[in-house]
Amino acid sequence: AIARSLAGRGVPLYTAHTIREARGRVGEIESVILVQIDGNLKPVTGSEHEIACDTLCLALGLAPNVELLPLVGARLEFVSSLGGWVPAINDSMQTSVPTVFAAGDCAGVDDAMLANPEIAHAQGRLAGHAAAESLGAALRHDGPPSIPLPHRGRGQGEGAVHTYWQTWLQSLLHAGGWEVNICQCEEVTRRELVEVKPPRYLKWESPQMETRSLNTLLRDGPVNQDQIKRLTRGGMGPCQSRRCREQVGLLLAQAAGTSIDRIPLPSFRPPIRPLPMNVLWPEDEPDAVRENWVSWFGIPTQFSPHWEAGMAIAEPTAETRLILRDE
């Protein structure tokens, strides 16, 4: 039905295809190369097809917004049918922390919730009533929710949802290879993550580094994303791994020969979302800082400087005078 609806609006839908390559210049995309994959998730020779575009969106699926919950000590459990790691809650949406309740996207997501927003509304009402009653409020009960809430099976390992995700990852690996960045913020490739390589801009090499790998880490215990993050910087960018943590977890599970539910989430630190600097300092920065911040605060090996990328700003020189705030 979706395919027919899209086709009726002139939007082609390619199934059994994946992205082999994105082409363009620094900071801009101009086209993508699609390739058909066979039953073994490998590219079909000669099936490449280039499509001109200025935007590429990769949508693997939905992941619950659970970043705040570990910060307050709430226990998480893995439920594949609800998107992965979700808070352990009772029938009143109460977490393992008695004063914290979870509802909506942070309690787990599935297709039914996408189709019917009333499910999240019902969860919110249930959590709100329970929270109020826990504080001593006497409320009139309207009975159980009229809409069935998502099933929360306990002890679910790698179910249908994450099996599909692993299939998606396999198709990308076969088509795009291991040199694709898995962490966009820190520019860590899939190979560097699995081989546990330090950031390239450190230019750090030693005999000890050559012998270190994911296999050597596994001898010390189960692998986790925090450990890999500290060693490779994968997932350590400003988005706090929200763009890559699912793919990192899948890749680590595959490389370690285990299931995704055995790979814990990385830790999160406040602020969970990027905040404007005026939260810390209400006054705006001088125009000179705004115009030249790239050359003053950038790490050259992490991106192409603006004077090499063809932007209009001239290259700063040693004579460039810094404008202080009180001038």
Side-chain angles (χ1 to χ4, degrees), residues 29-98:
I29 185 172
E30 297 175 344
S31 67
V32 295
I33 305 298
L34 288 183
V35 63
Q36 185 178 358
I37 56 174
D38 60 21
N40 295 319
L41 306 178
K42 295 184 178 180
V44 176
T45 303
S47 65
E48 290 84 357
H49 176 54
E50 185 171 8
I51 298 178
C53 64
D54 57 14
T55 304
L56 170 62
C57 302
L58 290 178
L60 169 60
L62 297 175
N65 288 318
V66 298
E67 294 92 346
L68 283 175
L69 293 167
L71 294 179
V72 298
R75 185 171 68 86
L76 301 182
E77 60 184 4
F78 192 91
V79 183
S80 181
S81 60
L82 293 179
W85 290 101
V86 294
I89 58 176
N90 60 19
D91 293 337
S92 298
M93 314 302 292
Q94 186 181 43
T95 70
S96 60
V97 179

Side-chain angles (χ1 to χ4, degrees), residues 284-325:
D284 206 353
E285 73 270 15
D287 291 339
V289 173
R290 182 182 295 113
E291 292 173 359
N292 298 292
W293 73 269
V294 173
S295 59
W296 290 351
F297 301 112
I299 300 175
T301 55
Q302 281 191 294
F303 61 92
S304 298
H306 54 67
W307 54 88
E308 293 181 7
M311 298 184 184
I313 303 175
E315 179 177 357
T317 66
E319 286 71 36
T320 301
R321 190 172 74 90
L322 303 183
I323 306 299
L324 302 180
R325 183 66 190 89

Side-chain angles (χ1 to χ4, degrees), residues 247-259:
Q247 190 177 164
V248 167
L250 291 169
L251 200 58
L252 291 178
Q254 173 186 291
T258 187
S259 57

Side-chain angles (χ1 to χ4, degrees), residues 1-313:
I2 294 177
R4 289 195 299 271
S5 177
L6 290 173
R9 291 169 171 78
V11 180
L13 180 64
Y14 295 91
T15 58
H17 283 70
T18 192
I19 300 292
R20 161 155 274 176
E21 181 184 357
R23 294 178 176 176
R25 297 175 294 175
V26 175
E28 296 181 5
I29 185 172
E30 297 175 344
S31 67
V32 295
I33 305 298
L34 288 183
V35 63
Q36 185 178 358
I37 56 174
D38 60 21
N40 295 319
L41 306 178
K42 295 184 178 180
V44 176
T45 303
S47 65
E48 290 84 357
H49 176 54
E50 185 171 8
I51 298 178
C53 64
D54 57 14
T55 304
L56 170 62
C57 302
L58 290 178
L60 169 60
L62 297 175
N65 288 318
V66 298
E67 294 92 346
L68 283 175
L69 293 167
L71 294 179
V72 298
R75 185 171 68 86
L76 301 182
E77 60 184 4
F78 192 91
V79 183
S80 181
S81 60
L82 293 179
W85 290 101
V86 294
I89 58 176
N90 60 19
D91 293 337
S92 298
M93 314 302 292
Q94 186 181 43
T95 70
S96 60
V97 179
T99 56
V100 177
F101 295 76
D105 287 353
C106 72
V109 289
D110 64 2
D111 291 342
M113 295 179 68
L114 290 179
N116 187 359
E118 281 301 318
I119 294 177
H121 296 167
Q123 289 181 343
R125 285 191 293 270
L126 187 60
H129 275 241
E133 289 180 341
S134 72
L135 297 175
L139 302 177
R140 180 176 61 85
H141 284 275
D142 298 326
S146 57
I147 297 175
L149 301 182
H151 175 65
R152 302 181 63 87
R154 297 296 188 263
Q156 293 187 27
E158 189 170 304
V161 172
H162 288 82
T163 300
Y164 165 75
W165 287 15
Q166 284 285 15
T167 302
W168 170 83
L169 178 63
Q170 285 298 316
S171 70
L172 289 182
L173 288 173
H174 287 312
W178 288 87
E179 308 307 325
V180 176
N181 285 343
I182 189 172
C183 174
Q184 300 296 323
C185 295
E186 296 293 326
E187 296 189 357
V188 179
T189 67
R190 295 166 180 160
R191 185 181 303 280
E192 289 168 338
L193 186 92
V194 171
E195 294 183 356
V196 197
K197 299 297 184 184
R200 275 166 280 163
Y201 56 80
L202 292 181
K203 299 180 180 179
W204 180 29
E205 296 181 1
S206 68
Q208 292 85 352
M209 293 297 301
E210 293 298 324
T211 60
R212 188 177 68 182
S213 67
L214 192 60
N215 288 331
T216 60
L217 294 179
L218 288 172
R219 297 172 194 163
D220 299 326
V223 69
N224 65 75
Q225 293 197 48
D226 271 345
Q227 184 183 37
I228 298 299
K229 180 167 65 173
R230 295 185 181 103
L231 294 172
T232 68
R233 291 195 64 84
M236 199 175 275
C239 81
Q240 294 208 51
S241 77
R242 278 191 302 277
R243 294 195 298 176
C244 66
R245 72 184 183 208
E246 274 70 38
Q247 190 177 164
V248 167
L250 291 169
L251 200 58
L252 291 178
Q254 173 186 291
T258 187
S259 57
I260 183 63
D261 60 301
R262 304 294 297 173
I263 306 295
L265 285 176
S267 58
F268 305 100
R269 293 176 175 83
I272 295 300
R273 298 289 189 271
L275 296 174
M277 290 299 293
N278 61 15
V279 172
L280 302 176
W281 182 257
E283 297 187 39
D284 206 353
E285 73 270 15
D287 291 339
V289 173
R290 182 182 295 113
E291 292 173 359
N292 298 292
W293 73 269
V294 173
S295 59
W296 290 351
F297 301 112
I299 300 175
T301 55
Q302 281 191 294
F303 61 92
S304 298
H306 54 67
W307 54 88
E308 293 181 7
M311 298 184 184
I313 303 175

